[in-house]
Amino acid sequence: MSRVLLDTSVLIGPHDPGDVEGAISAASLAELHFGTLVAGDPGERARRTQRLGVIEATFDPLPVDAPVAREWGRLAAAVADRGGKPPRRAVDLAIAATANVHDVPLLTADAADLAIINDLVKVRAPD
């Protein structure tokens, strides 16, 4: 069984992560809370709240700590150096930095979001 960091896109999508030992970043948890709070439709908000509860009960998120912050800054600088816009991908970069610091691939359905730095982050698509 391989170890991976589950991106928010995998946590909310219909994707099967496969036979993996998954972890999540605290940055994904922030995205999930935001998405739940801004859902305009009460039914959708209830669905997101239920999913968030399951995710919080299942995972102990990896923190965005000093090593992750340093790596996040490095990745953001690489994006800027390559002509990208780091602020548009701030949370994606925090999640990618978490994966790098913990030396695990990032399992994401949105690999294109990190294409500009695909040589700096190990990215895998769900099965």
Side-chain angles (χ1 to χ4, degrees):
M1 182 179 324
S2 62
R3 293 180 54 216
V4 298
L5 187 75
L6 303 173
D7 184 44
T8 310
S9 63
V10 173
L11 294 169
I12 65 172
H15 315 287
D16 179 7
D19 189 22
V20 297
E21 179 186 333
I24 67 169
S25 169
S28 285
L29 196 56
E31 280 191 314
L32 293 168
H33 275 279
F34 172 73
T36 298
L37 294 169
V38 299
D41 176 68
E44 179 64 16
R45 190 169 35 257
R47 187 184 69 73
R48 290 179 185 188
T49 298
Q50 180 182 19
R51 179 175 285 180
L52 177 58
V54 169
I55 291 167
E56 286 188 313
T58 304
F59 297 100
D60 183 18
L62 299 172
V64 177
D65 55 9
V68 171
R70 283 189 289 277
E71 179 64 6
W72 183 358
R74 183 182 81 90
L75 293 176
V79 169
D81 286 346
R82 296 173 184 190
K85 297 182 178 13
R88 287 189 61 203
R89 298 280 173 233
V91 177
D92 295 334
L93 292 174
I95 295 167
T98 304
N100 280 0
V101 166
H102 292 276
D103 196 28
V104 294
L106 177 60
L107 188 67
T108 180
D110 298 328
D113 290 349
L114 298 168
I116 196 168
I117 53 169
N118 64 2
D119 59 319
L120 302 177
V121 181
K122 293 179 249 170
V123 176
R124 276 187 40 197
D127 296 332

